[in-house]
Amino acid sequence: MNGNAKTSETSKTSETSKTPRTSRVGRRAFPAFALLLAAALPVQAAPSRESAPVNEYEPAESLEGNFLAAYIAGASKDTAAAASFYREAVKADPRNAELLERAFVSLLADGSLPDAFRAAERLTSRDGSNGLAQLALGVRQIKAGQFAQARQNFARSGRGAAADLTGTLLTAWAFAGANDGKRALDTVNKLKGERYYNTFRDFHAGLIASLVGDQAEAERRLKAAYDADRNTLRIVDAYARFEAQAGRTDLAIQAYTEFDKLLPRHPIVRDALTKLKEGKPLARLVNSAQEGAGEVLYGLGAAGSTQGDELPAIVYLRLALYLAPEHALARLTLADILDRMKQTDRANEAYAQIPTASPLRLNADVQIGLNLEQMGKGDEAIAHLDAAMKAHPDDIDIISALGNVQRSRKKYEEAAETYSRAIALIGDRPASNYWTTFYFRGTAYERAKQWPKAEADLKKALELVPASQPGARAQVLNYLAYSWVDQNMNIDEAFTMLKQAVDAAPRDGMIIDSLGWAYFRLGRWDDAVRELEKAIELKPGDPTINDHLGDAYWRAGRRLEGKFQWQHAKDLNPEPEDLEKINAKLKDGLPELDKPAATAENPPEGKANPELPKGAPAPNEPPGAADKKSGG
């Protein structure tokens, strides 16, 4: 029952706003949903397509070969391959129960549901206690309208907190599908135990009551869920839609508006508010028992996703989408998990399946464009985002995403122009919601060597970034202050800001590196060594930090250690231009100083050292570790 523009909205507001991704609020403690699957998941696997996949893998010549290939594919989180090889292995040894179970789980996680259901039938015929197989078959029966049979399967789907929660709610929806509203509500009311059960119970009881026509009970239960948790989008959306349908538009607008203050610019909330203000109706959140059961599975999958239980989350989401293929939040959550698991091409497949009429489609288009850029398909990314921008010329997120890709491809002037187009659209909207747009335009201007414009934007971003996001504020402080140090200006203020950034993000090795490198630029070698050694401890595999520490050691008279750090930096695959400088230093060391070292009270004069790092934020990440001033 969770969800936001990117995944679940049930975690606290992130301290660095992802642009264009939406931050999340309201993390809840949730049971380990892997409990339901633990006994049935011998292979770790990532999801593939929902439709039956084409066999793209050449089978091995033996049972052992197919099993080994499937096992390795599962361990590598490639379920398309795992499912393919397990199919072949089961053909060779159809009576092997363990092999069949592994194949079932791989097929289910991969989205090959027809094959998974057939495997579940074979498993339950041999072992009726296989909870996951019983759950899967019950889901299939709900879709077929066989509600009594579904309830029997859910009754055999296991025991434990997660299984009880799942089985109880799905059983209630099966009663609702059979038009037995009383038994459906009685079943939901049996849900007791964990504290968070109360919200689940009232939420689904309200949806069931609304579906079966008990509007008084629906109002009471949805209001109870809303009063208990106003931070979860799905609860707010269900409650507001019910109030709107009841003619209480003012209460619906109020609920959405309050949520918008907590999580600004959520596409679903913006779309609902626009419709309400234009006098358009809002559809009920759930319109059938099948959709209601899908909502149960989506809620479990979304919550598991936020807790890092990715494989159980994938299984729940696959089953949810089987019941409710138009469930845009479920598909978006699945795509987000694929993104996190670096299955970028499959994530894009999931994004592309989000209905075009969904308010989440623009968010999906943004992510498709950013993923294309990550995949090295920059021209396709720009073409995709440019087409989306032309179709939605007033959407700030689409425009900003295009700017991010242009900036990633070092088209800094074009990126700045694109960001300017987005900023022009802000108008009377709360500018604090768009601080990242000013930040990114500032970095583009800085890269385009238009410092006055860059400085103005970075200052504006620093003014706008919310106090509730100290990590994000640290990144802006870092970029602006380091740029000043780079140009030998505002030294005292820059150092104050860098120290504030370190205080706000004391475990950010990249920011600490900035402070250390600033000390180096001022000739304060011992201070530089101290800070850069801290940075190395926090981020030992970064070539830039190792290179900086080598420079600091050299200037501090520790030349053997300096060469060791340079060699280490070289071995960490630095950028080509940095590698050339590192090789020169390994050969000849640093040049002798022509004048006394500078201090904070006596900053150096003249042109900035060309060694100074010039990093810029990555196109699809927040102003975070990748946004520090990096280089060598």
mmCIF file of all heavy atoms in Angstrom, residues 331-373:
data_model
loop_
_atom_site.group_PDB
_atom_site.id
_atom_site.type_symbol
_atom_site.label_atom_id
_atom_site.label_comp_id
_atom_site.label_asym_id
_atom_site.label_seq_id
_atom_site.Cartn_x
_atom_site.Cartn_y
_atom_site.Cartn_z
ATOM 1 N N ARG A 331 4.431 -1.382 -11.116
ATOM 2 C CA ARG A 331 5.400 -1.505 -12.205
ATOM 3 C C ARG A 331 6.580 -0.557 -11.990
ATOM 4 O O ARG A 331 7.736 -0.905 -12.283
ATOM 5 C CB ARG A 331 4.722 -1.231 -13.546
ATOM 6 C CG ARG A 331 5.470 -1.858 -14.703
ATOM 7 C CD ARG A 331 4.650 -1.850 -15.961
ATOM 8 N NE ARG A 331 3.462 -2.681 -15.902
ATOM 9 C CZ ARG A 331 3.459 -3.999 -16.054
ATOM 10 N NH1 ARG A 331 4.597 -4.639 -16.265
ATOM 11 N NH2 ARG A 331 2.333 -4.686 -16.013
ATOM 12 N N LEU A 332 6.306 0.626 -11.475
ATOM 13 C CA LEU A 332 7.384 1.572 -11.213
ATOM 14 C C LEU A 332 8.301 1.055 -10.111
ATOM 15 O O LEU A 332 9.525 1.212 -10.180
ATOM 16 C CB LEU A 332 6.791 2.924 -10.822
ATOM 17 C CG LEU A 332 7.705 4.137 -10.960
ATOM 18 C CD1 LEU A 332 8.066 4.383 -12.419
ATOM 19 C CD2 LEU A 332 7.047 5.369 -10.365
ATOM 20 N N THR A 333 7.716 0.441 -9.083
ATOM 21 C CA THR A 333 8.521 -0.121 -8.002
ATOM 22 C C THR A 333 9.388 -1.257 -8.508
ATOM 23 O O THR A 333 10.571 -1.372 -8.157
ATOM 24 C CB THR A 333 7.613 -0.614 -6.867
ATOM 25 O OG1 THR A 333 6.760 0.449 -6.447
ATOM 26 C CG2 THR A 333 8.433 -1.088 -5.688
ATOM 27 N N LEU A 334 8.813 -2.114 -9.351
ATOM 28 C CA LEU A 334 9.588 -3.197 -9.947
ATOM 29 C C LEU A 334 10.748 -2.644 -10.770
ATOM 30 O O LEU A 334 11.895 -3.113 -10.670
ATOM 31 C CB LEU A 334 8.677 -4.058 -10.821
ATOM 32 C CG LEU A 334 9.360 -5.184 -11.606
ATOM 33 C CD1 LEU A 334 10.000 -6.198 -10.663
ATOM 34 C CD2 LEU A 334 8.362 -5.865 -12.531
ATOM 35 N N ALA A 335 10.477 -1.629 -11.567
ATOM 36 C CA ALA A 335 11.532 -1.023 -12.382
ATOM 37 C C ALA A 335 12.628 -0.428 -11.508
ATOM 38 O O ALA A 335 13.815 -0.517 -11.829
ATOM 39 C CB ALA A 335 10.930 0.053 -13.287
ATOM 40 N N ASP A 336 12.231 0.161 -10.387
ATOM 41 C CA ASP A 336 13.217 0.756 -9.487
ATOM 42 C C ASP A 336 14.137 -0.315 -8.900
ATOM 43 O O ASP A 336 15.347 -0.114 -8.783
ATOM 44 C CB ASP A 336 12.494 1.509 -8.373
ATOM 45 C CG ASP A 336 13.462 2.199 -7.433
ATOM 46 O OD1 ASP A 336 14.376 2.881 -7.920
ATOM 47 O OD2 ASP A 336 13.305 2.061 -6.202
ATOM 48 N N ILE A 337 13.566 -1.458 -8.533
ATOM 49 C CA ILE A 337 14.395 -2.545 -8.015
ATOM 50 C C ILE A 337 15.377 -3.011 -9.087
ATOM 51 O O ILE A 337 16.558 -3.239 -8.821
ATOM 52 C CB ILE A 337 13.520 -3.716 -7.540
ATOM 53 C CG1 ILE A 337 12.665 -3.287 -6.346
ATOM 54 C CG2 ILE A 337 14.388 -4.906 -7.146
ATOM 55 C CD1 ILE A 337 11.670 -4.337 -5.896
ATOM 56 N N LEU A 338 14.885 -3.148 -10.312
ATOM 57 C CA LEU A 338 15.771 -3.540 -11.408
ATOM 58 C C LEU A 338 16.880 -2.513 -11.595
ATOM 59 O O LEU A 338 18.033 -2.868 -11.858
ATOM 60 C CB LEU A 338 14.956 -3.689 -12.686
ATOM 61 C CG LEU A 338 13.982 -4.867 -12.714
ATOM 62 C CD1 LEU A 338 12.984 -4.694 -13.861
ATOM 63 C CD2 LEU A 338 14.718 -6.175 -12.862
ATOM 64 N N ASP A 339 16.539 -1.245 -11.468
ATOM 65 C CA ASP A 339 17.553 -0.196 -11.546
ATOM 66 C C ASP A 339 18.621 -0.403 -10.478
ATOM 67 O O ASP A 339 19.824 -0.333 -10.752
ATOM 68 C CB ASP A 339 16.899 1.181 -11.349
ATOM 69 C CG ASP A 339 16.716 1.925 -12.655
ATOM 70 O OD1 ASP A 339 17.367 1.565 -13.645
ATOM 71 O OD2 ASP A 339 15.926 2.880 -12.684
ATOM 72 N N ARG A 340 18.188 -0.629 -9.257
ATOM 73 C CA ARG A 340 19.125 -0.780 -8.152
ATOM 74 C C ARG A 340 20.005 -2.011 -8.328
ATOM 75 O O ARG A 340 21.133 -2.051 -7.836
ATOM 76 C CB ARG A 340 18.372 -0.866 -6.822
ATOM 77 C CG ARG A 340 17.594 0.384 -6.481
ATOM 78 C CD ARG A 340 17.338 0.498 -4.989
ATOM 79 N NE ARG A 340 16.751 -0.684 -4.415
ATOM 80 C CZ ARG A 340 15.446 -0.857 -4.203
ATOM 81 N NH1 ARG A 340 14.581 0.096 -4.565
ATOM 82 N NH2 ARG A 340 14.993 -1.955 -3.649
ATOM 83 N N MET A 341 19.472 -3.012 -9.005
ATOM 84 C CA MET A 341 20.238 -4.224 -9.234
ATOM 85 C C MET A 341 21.051 -4.157 -10.521
ATOM 86 O O MET A 341 21.590 -5.166 -10.980
ATOM 87 C CB MET A 341 19.285 -5.418 -9.268
ATOM 88 C CG MET A 341 18.520 -5.610 -7.972
ATOM 89 S SD MET A 341 17.304 -6.942 -8.037
ATOM 90 C CE MET A 341 18.288 -8.306 -7.457
ATOM 91 N N LYS A 342 21.116 -2.967 -11.107
ATOM 92 C CA LYS A 342 21.908 -2.723 -12.320
ATOM 93 C C LYS A 342 21.380 -3.495 -13.524
ATOM 94 O O LYS A 342 22.126 -3.734 -14.477
ATOM 95 C CB LYS A 342 23.387 -3.047 -12.091
ATOM 96 C CG LYS A 342 23.981 -2.381 -10.865
ATOM 97 C CD LYS A 342 23.878 -0.873 -10.901
ATOM 98 C CE LYS A 342 24.509 -0.230 -9.685
ATOM 99 N NZ LYS A 342 24.306 1.241 -9.666
ATOM 100 N N GLN A 343 20.110 -3.855 -13.514
ATOM 101 C CA GLN A 343 19.471 -4.487 -14.666
ATOM 102 C C GLN A 343 18.801 -3.382 -15.491
ATOM 103 O O GLN A 343 17.568 -3.308 -15.595
ATOM 104 C CB GLN A 343 18.443 -5.513 -14.192
ATOM 105 C CG GLN A 343 19.011 -6.603 -13.312
ATOM 106 C CD GLN A 343 19.773 -7.647 -14.118
ATOM 107 O OE1 GLN A 343 19.466 -7.896 -15.284
ATOM 108 N NE2 GLN A 343 20.773 -8.254 -13.503
ATOM 109 N N THR A 344 19.628 -2.504 -16.040
ATOM 110 C CA THR A 344 19.118 -1.260 -16.611
ATOM 111 C C THR A 344 18.214 -1.480 -17.807
ATOM 112 O O THR A 344 17.182 -0.816 -17.951
ATOM 113 C CB THR A 344 20.302 -0.356 -17.011
ATOM 114 O OG1 THR A 344 21.229 -0.286 -15.918
ATOM 115 C CG2 THR A 344 19.820 1.046 -17.313
ATOM 116 N N ASP A 345 18.576 -2.409 -18.687
ATOM 117 C CA ASP A 345 17.745 -2.622 -19.863
ATOM 118 C C ASP A 345 16.378 -3.169 -19.477
ATOM 119 O O ASP A 345 15.351 -2.769 -20.037
ATOM 120 C CB ASP A 345 18.450 -3.549 -20.856
ATOM 121 C CG ASP A 345 18.898 -4.859 -20.227
ATOM 122 O OD1 ASP A 345 18.927 -4.939 -18.974
ATOM 123 O OD2 ASP A 345 19.215 -5.794 -20.983
ATOM 124 N N ARG A 346 16.349 -4.074 -18.509
ATOM 125 C CA ARG A 346 15.067 -4.612 -18.067
ATOM 126 C C ARG A 346 14.265 -3.591 -17.284
ATOM 127 O O ARG A 346 13.027 -3.592 -17.313
ATOM 128 C CB ARG A 346 15.294 -5.891 -17.253
ATOM 129 C CG ARG A 346 15.832 -7.015 -18.117
ATOM 130 C CD ARG A 346 16.086 -8.273 -17.324
ATOM 131 N NE ARG A 346 16.615 -9.308 -18.208
ATOM 132 C CZ ARG A 346 17.081 -10.465 -17.765
ATOM 133 N NH1 ARG A 346 17.063 -10.737 -16.482
ATOM 134 N NH2 ARG A 346 17.551 -11.357 -18.619
ATOM 135 N N ALA A 347 14.953 -2.732 -16.570
ATOM 136 C CA ALA A 347 14.247 -1.643 -15.902
ATOM 137 C C ALA A 347 13.532 -0.779 -16.925
ATOM 138 O O ALA A 347 12.366 -0.398 -16.748
ATOM 139 C CB ALA A 347 15.224 -0.803 -15.086
ATOM 140 N N ASN A 348 14.211 -0.485 -18.014
ATOM 141 C CA ASN A 348 13.575 0.323 -19.056
ATOM 142 C C ASN A 348 12.379 -0.387 -19.684
ATOM 143 O O ASN A 348 11.399 0.257 -20.066
ATOM 144 C CB ASN A 348 14.599 0.696 -20.136
ATOM 145 C CG ASN A 348 15.375 1.943 -19.770
ATOM 146 O OD1 ASN A 348 15.210 2.490 -18.679
ATOM 147 N ND2 ASN A 348 16.213 2.414 -20.672
ATOM 148 N N GLU A 349 12.452 -1.711 -19.792
ATOM 149 C CA GLU A 349 11.298 -2.448 -20.292
ATOM 150 C C GLU A 349 10.100 -2.258 -19.362
ATOM 151 O O GLU A 349 8.963 -2.075 -19.814
ATOM 152 C CB GLU A 349 11.629 -3.937 -20.399
ATOM 153 C CG GLU A 349 12.603 -4.282 -21.516
ATOM 154 C CD GLU A 349 12.946 -5.763 -21.525
ATOM 155 O OE1 GLU A 349 12.345 -6.508 -20.716
ATOM 156 O OE2 GLU A 349 13.797 -6.167 -22.329
ATOM 157 N N ALA A 350 10.366 -2.305 -18.051
ATOM 158 C CA ALA A 350 9.283 -2.127 -17.080
ATOM 159 C C ALA A 350 8.748 -0.699 -17.121
ATOM 160 O O ALA A 350 7.527 -0.479 -17.079
ATOM 161 C CB ALA A 350 9.778 -2.477 -15.681
ATOM 162 N N TYR A 351 9.639 0.272 -17.191
ATOM 163 C CA TYR A 351 9.184 1.667 -17.291
ATOM 164 C C TYR A 351 8.295 1.866 -18.524
ATOM 165 O O TYR A 351 7.271 2.549 -18.478
ATOM 166 C CB TYR A 351 10.379 2.612 -17.383
ATOM 167 C CG TYR A 351 11.150 2.797 -16.101
ATOM 168 C CD1 TYR A 351 12.538 2.625 -16.074
ATOM 169 C CD2 TYR A 351 10.517 3.159 -14.924
ATOM 170 C CE1 TYR A 351 13.258 2.811 -14.911
ATOM 171 C CE2 TYR A 351 11.238 3.337 -13.746
ATOM 172 C CZ TYR A 351 12.607 3.157 -13.747
ATOM 173 O OH TYR A 351 13.320 3.333 -12.591
ATOM 174 N N ALA A 352 8.697 1.264 -19.637
ATOM 175 C CA ALA A 352 7.960 1.461 -20.890
ATOM 176 C C ALA A 352 6.566 0.855 -20.843
ATOM 177 O O ALA A 352 5.695 1.241 -21.641
ATOM 178 C CB ALA A 352 8.754 0.865 -22.054
ATOM 179 N N GLN A 353 6.317 -0.077 -19.911
ATOM 180 C CA GLN A 353 5.014 -0.719 -19.807
ATOM 181 C C GLN A 353 4.044 0.055 -18.915
ATOM 182 O O GLN A 353 2.891 -0.345 -18.774
ATOM 183 C CB GLN A 353 5.177 -2.146 -19.282
ATOM 184 C CG GLN A 353 5.870 -3.062 -20.286
ATOM 185 C CD GLN A 353 6.127 -4.444 -19.722
ATOM 186 O OE1 GLN A 353 5.887 -4.711 -18.554
ATOM 187 N NE2 GLN A 353 6.633 -5.326 -20.561
ATOM 188 N N ILE A 354 4.503 1.130 -18.308
ATOM 189 C CA ILE A 354 3.597 1.956 -17.510
ATOM 190 C C ILE A 354 2.613 2.634 -18.452
ATOM 191 O O ILE A 354 3.016 3.222 -19.459
ATOM 192 C CB ILE A 354 4.387 2.994 -16.692
ATOM 193 C CG1 ILE A 354 5.194 2.269 -15.603
ATOM 194 C CG2 ILE A 354 3.464 4.027 -16.056
ATOM 195 C CD1 ILE A 354 6.119 3.155 -14.830
ATOM 196 N N PRO A 355 1.320 2.554 -18.171
ATOM 197 C CA PRO A 355 0.315 3.106 -19.098
ATOM 198 C C PRO A 355 0.571 4.571 -19.420
ATOM 199 O O PRO A 355 0.948 5.364 -18.552
ATOM 200 C CB PRO A 355 -1.001 2.921 -18.325
ATOM 201 C CG PRO A 355 -0.734 1.790 -17.381
ATOM 202 C CD PRO A 355 0.711 1.907 -16.998
ATOM 203 N N THR A 356 0.362 4.919 -20.672
ATOM 204 C CA THR A 356 0.610 6.302 -21.096
ATOM 205 C C THR A 356 -0.317 7.277 -20.404
ATOM 206 O O THR A 356 0.021 8.451 -20.261
ATOM 207 C CB THR A 356 0.447 6.420 -22.623
ATOM 208 O OG1 THR A 356 -0.858 5.934 -22.987
ATOM 209 C CG2 THR A 356 1.499 5.601 -23.348
ATOM 210 N N ALA A 357 -1.491 6.802 -19.971
ATOM 211 C CA ALA A 357 -2.441 7.696 -19.314
ATOM 212 C C ALA A 357 -2.103 7.918 -17.844
ATOM 213 O O ALA A 357 -2.691 8.796 -17.194
ATOM 214 C CB ALA A 357 -3.859 7.122 -19.426
ATOM 215 N N SER A 358 -1.162 7.167 -17.308
ATOM 216 C CA SER A 358 -0.819 7.290 -15.891
ATOM 217 C C SER A 358 -0.026 8.570 -15.638
ATOM 218 O O SER A 358 0.852 8.932 -16.424
ATOM 219 C CB SER A 358 0.017 6.088 -15.443
ATOM 220 O OG SER A 358 0.563 6.315 -14.152
ATOM 221 N N PRO A 359 -0.312 9.253 -14.518
ATOM 222 C CA PRO A 359 0.510 10.427 -14.179
ATOM 223 C C PRO A 359 1.960 10.072 -13.902
ATOM 224 O O PRO A 359 2.821 10.955 -13.854
ATOM 225 C CB PRO A 359 -0.179 10.987 -12.925
ATOM 226 C CG PRO A 359 -0.996 9.875 -12.385
ATOM 227 C CD PRO A 359 -1.404 9.053 -13.559
ATOM 228 N N LEU A 360 2.248 8.774 -13.721
ATOM 229 C CA LEU A 360 3.621 8.345 -13.485
ATOM 230 C C LEU A 360 4.401 8.123 -14.771
ATOM 231 O O LEU A 360 5.598 7.842 -14.735
ATOM 232 C CB LEU A 360 3.628 7.043 -12.671
ATOM 233 C CG LEU A 360 3.040 7.126 -11.262
ATOM 234 C CD1 LEU A 360 3.016 5.752 -10.623
ATOM 235 C CD2 LEU A 360 3.823 8.101 -10.407
ATOM 236 N N ARG A 361 3.741 8.228 -15.911
ATOM 237 C CA ARG A 361 4.421 7.942 -17.169
ATOM 238 C C ARG A 361 5.568 8.915 -17.438
ATOM 239 O O ARG A 361 6.633 8.518 -17.932
ATOM 240 C CB ARG A 361 3.418 7.994 -18.325
ATOM 241 C CG ARG A 361 4.030 7.728 -19.684
ATOM 242 C CD ARG A 361 4.606 6.322 -19.779
ATOM 243 N NE ARG A 361 5.589 6.191 -20.835
ATOM 244 C CZ ARG A 361 5.853 5.063 -21.463
ATOM 245 N NH1 ARG A 361 5.199 3.956 -21.143
ATOM 246 N NH2 ARG A 361 6.770 5.016 -22.399
ATOM 247 N N LEU A 362 5.388 10.177 -17.098
ATOM 248 C CA LEU A 362 6.472 11.135 -17.315
ATOM 249 C C LEU A 362 7.679 10.786 -16.469
ATOM 250 O O LEU A 362 8.822 10.889 -16.919
ATOM 251 C CB LEU A 362 5.991 12.550 -17.004
ATOM 252 C CG LEU A 362 5.145 13.232 -18.082
ATOM 253 C CD1 LEU A 362 4.689 14.603 -17.606
ATOM 254 C CD2 LEU A 362 5.912 13.351 -19.385
ATOM 255 N N ASN A 363 7.428 10.374 -15.226
ATOM 256 C CA ASN A 363 8.532 9.950 -14.383
ATOM 257 C C ASN A 363 9.260 8.777 -15.013
ATOM 258 O O ASN A 363 10.491 8.702 -15.001
ATOM 259 C CB ASN A 363 7.996 9.582 -13.000
ATOM 260 C CG ASN A 363 9.088 9.250 -12.011
ATOM 261 O OD1 ASN A 363 9.538 8.115 -11.973
ATOM 262 N ND2 ASN A 363 9.507 10.219 -11.232
ATOM 263 N N ALA A 364 8.482 7.847 -15.577
ATOM 264 C CA ALA A 364 9.091 6.691 -16.244
ATOM 265 C C ALA A 364 9.918 7.132 -17.443
ATOM 266 O O ALA A 364 11.022 6.619 -17.670
ATOM 267 C CB ALA A 364 7.993 5.715 -16.675
ATOM 268 N N ASP A 365 9.405 8.076 -18.220
ATOM 269 C CA ASP A 365 10.153 8.560 -19.378
ATOM 270 C C ASP A 365 11.468 9.216 -18.957
ATOM 271 O O ASP A 365 12.497 9.079 -19.640
ATOM 272 C CB ASP A 365 9.306 9.551 -20.180
ATOM 273 C CG ASP A 365 8.295 8.851 -21.080
ATOM 274 O OD1 ASP A 365 8.576 7.718 -21.517
ATOM 275 O OD2 ASP A 365 7.230 9.431 -21.341
ATOM 276 N N VAL A 366 11.434 9.937 -17.838
ATOM 277 C CA VAL A 366 12.671 10.524 -17.315
ATOM 278 C C VAL A 366 13.686 9.432 -17.026
ATOM 279 O O VAL A 366 14.856 9.508 -17.428
ATOM 280 C CB VAL A 366 12.377 11.346 -16.041
ATOM 281 C CG1 VAL A 366 13.669 11.654 -15.288
ATOM 282 C CG2 VAL A 366 11.661 12.645 -16.397
ATOM 283 N N GLN A 367 13.250 8.389 -16.335
ATOM 284 C CA GLN A 367 14.181 7.335 -15.954
ATOM 285 C C GLN A 367 14.692 6.563 -17.160
ATOM 286 O O GLN A 367 15.852 6.146 -17.199
ATOM 287 C CB GLN A 367 13.515 6.397 -14.961
ATOM 288 C CG GLN A 367 13.201 7.051 -13.627
ATOM 289 C CD GLN A 367 14.399 7.734 -13.003
ATOM 290 O OE1 GLN A 367 14.286 8.851 -12.528
ATOM 291 N NE2 GLN A 367 15.541 7.097 -13.019
ATOM 292 N N ILE A 368 13.821 6.379 -18.169
ATOM 293 C CA ILE A 368 14.281 5.715 -19.390
ATOM 294 C C ILE A 368 15.416 6.516 -20.020
ATOM 295 O O ILE A 368 16.446 5.966 -20.421
ATOM 296 C CB ILE A 368 13.107 5.547 -20.379
ATOM 297 C CG1 ILE A 368 12.123 4.496 -19.873
ATOM 298 C CG2 ILE A 368 13.633 5.145 -21.762
ATOM 299 C CD1 ILE A 368 10.849 4.417 -20.693
ATOM 300 N N GLY A 369 15.243 7.818 -20.103
ATOM 301 C CA GLY A 369 16.277 8.662 -20.688
ATOM 302 C C GLY A 369 17.573 8.612 -19.904
ATOM 303 O O GLY A 369 18.667 8.477 -20.478
ATOM 304 N N LEU A 370 17.481 8.705 -18.581
ATOM 305 C CA LEU A 370 18.685 8.661 -17.756
ATOM 306 C C LEU A 370 19.361 7.296 -17.844
ATOM 307 O O LEU A 370 20.593 7.201 -17.852
ATOM 308 C CB LEU A 370 18.326 8.990 -16.303
ATOM 309 C CG LEU A 370 17.775 10.400 -16.059
ATOM 310 C CD1 LEU A 370 17.446 10.588 -14.580
ATOM 311 C CD2 LEU A 370 18.769 11.463 -16.515
ATOM 312 N N ASN A 371 18.567 6.243 -17.911
ATOM 313 C CA ASN A 371 19.160 4.903 -18.035
ATOM 314 C C ASN A 371 19.851 4.707 -19.382
ATOM 315 O O ASN A 371 20.898 4.062 -19.465
ATOM 316 C CB ASN A 371 18.083 3.840 -17.844
ATOM 317 C CG ASN A 371 17.725 3.633 -16.383
ATOM 318 O OD1 ASN A 371 18.406 4.134 -15.497
ATOM 319 N ND2 ASN A 371 16.656 2.904 -16.129
ATOM 320 N N LEU A 372 19.259 5.245 -20.433
ATOM 321 C CA LEU A 372 19.918 5.166 -21.745
ATOM 322 C C LEU A 372 21.285 5.832 -21.690
ATOM 323 O O LEU A 372 22.259 5.338 -22.273
ATOM 324 C CB LEU A 372 19.039 5.811 -22.813
ATOM 325 C CG LEU A 372 17.794 5.019 -23.234
ATOM 326 C CD1 LEU A 372 16.895 5.883 -24.119
ATOM 327 C CD2 LEU A 372 18.195 3.741 -23.974
ATOM 328 N N GLU A 373 21.361 6.941 -20.989
ATOM 329 C CA GLU A 373 22.652 7.614 -20.840
ATOM 330 C C GLU A 373 23.624 6.737 -20.071
ATOM 331 O O GLU A 373 24.791 6.596 -20.445
ATOM 332 C CB GLU A 373 22.459 8.954 -20.130
ATOM 333 C CG GLU A 373 23.731 9.632 -19.646
ATOM 334 C CD GLU A 373 24.674 10.011 -20.780
ATOM 335 O OE1 GLU A 373 24.242 10.089 -21.953
ATOM 336 O OE2 GLU A 373 25.868 10.237 -20.490
#
